Amino acid sequence: MAPKIIEVQVPEYNLSTKPDYLNVGQKVDTEIEKNFPDGLYVCRAIGKDDHPNFSLDGLVDIILKNGTDKYDSKRKEVCFEDFSMYDHDIQAGDFEIKNHKIILDDSNIYYSMFGDIVKKFYENVLLDRGFKVRIDILILYDANKLTRAQKIDPNAESARPELEECLYKFKNPEHKQDALVGIVKILR
């Protein structure tokens, strides 16, 4: 089945002022709940500004073709050194939709999955990147087609537990696009 692509207009979400995490988050959460069935998902959030050579639609085309936004094997990911000891393909988070509602866990600060993502990329990324990132795309995967990454060398130093939990690999790395169930474009 072809991945579902949805667009959510969120013009109030920008980096010039601190976003209203709850309001912006619930707007996107609601569209995800309306458009995707109950199930377990893995969600990768990316900002178009991290990919300056591509338009938003061009980046979506790459994701549809490859199953991921990883199009350049020479490009090092954020926190490369911290994650180099893991056999991972992507950094992402998991979530569940049950009875047409996103189920939030205790780690959420706001009562919104996307609201927490926005907060992390507005505030927390300053620690590892030094600048804020606007999330323009959510890539949704079938959680049953991915698995948690493992350390390559069990004696190597581990990443912080909250970071380690965000590392995934595709069960079928030759067909990553088969795990892709949806793309959410967060429009300005």
Side-chain angles (χ1 to χ4, degrees):
M1 182 185 319
K4 186 171 203 167
I5 300 173
I6 64 170
E7 297 180 350
V8 185
Q9 292 283 340
V10 193
E12 68 274 21
Y13 171 34
N14 61 69
L15 300 180
S16 62
T17 59
K18 183 178 178 180
D20 180 339
Y21 302 131
L22 186 60
N23 181 44
V24 167
Q26 287 180 336
K27 188 181 270 191
V28 173
D29 287 2
T30 298
E31 291 304 314
I32 292 171
E33 292 165 342
K34 277 198 261 181
N35 285 281
F36 294 94
D38 289 359
L40 299 173
Y41 297 90
V42 170
C43 175
R44 176 165 169 75
I46 62 172
K48 192 204 91 47
D49 291 343
D50 282 340
H51 308 272
N53 296 327
F54 298 97
S55 67
L56 186 64
D57 289 331
L59 194 51
V60 167
D61 289 343
I62 287 170
I63 295 164
L64 290 170
K65 178 183 175 195
N66 299 335
T68 177
D69 59 296
K70 307 252 179 169
Y71 51 84
D72 182 354
S73 61
K74 294 180 182 131
R75 186 172 186 241
K76 290 189 177 180
E77 67 187 329
V78 174
C79 298
F80 172 78
E81 291 77 23
D82 294 332
F83 301 146
S84 63
M85 75 285 289
Y86 294 89
D87 64 345
H88 72 289
D89 292 313
I90 60 170
Q91 299 172 41
D94 59 356
F95 73 99
E96 180 179 9
I97 299 176
K98 187 174 184 179
N99 298 321
H100 309 290
K101 291 288 179 199
I102 293 173
I103 305 300
L104 301 172
D105 64 29
D106 294 338
S107 68
N108 283 71
I109 296 170
Y110 295 92
Y111 196 70
S112 164
M113 180 186 74
F114 187 66
D116 269 25
I117 292 171
V118 170
K119 179 190 184 302
K120 288 174 185 164
F121 281 86
Y122 188 81
E123 295 180 24
N124 299 11
V125 295
L126 294 173
L127 300 172
D128 55 21
R129 292 181 186 222
F131 56 90
K132 302 166 187 160
V133 176
R134 183 189 190 280
I135 298 305
D136 299 291
I137 297 175
L138 296 177
I139 307 170
L140 304 183
Y141 296 102
D142 177 342
N144 296 311
K145 296 188 178 183
L146 286 95
T147 186
R148 298 257 188 210
Q150 301 296 314
K151 283 174 48 176
I152 297 166
D153 175 359
N155 297 320
E157 187 175 333
S158 296
R160 293 190 325 259
E162 68 273 15
L163 295 177
E164 190 175 62
E165 291 176 7
C166 295
L167 299 175
Y168 288 88
K169 61 189 268 183
F170 293 92
K171 287 182 178 177
N172 186 348
E174 300 303 315
H175 298 282
K176 295 174 184 168
Q177 61 273 39
D178 292 346
L180 182 65
V181 295
I183 297 174
V184 181
K185 295 165 49 176
I186 296 104
L187 305 177
R188 299 173 191 243

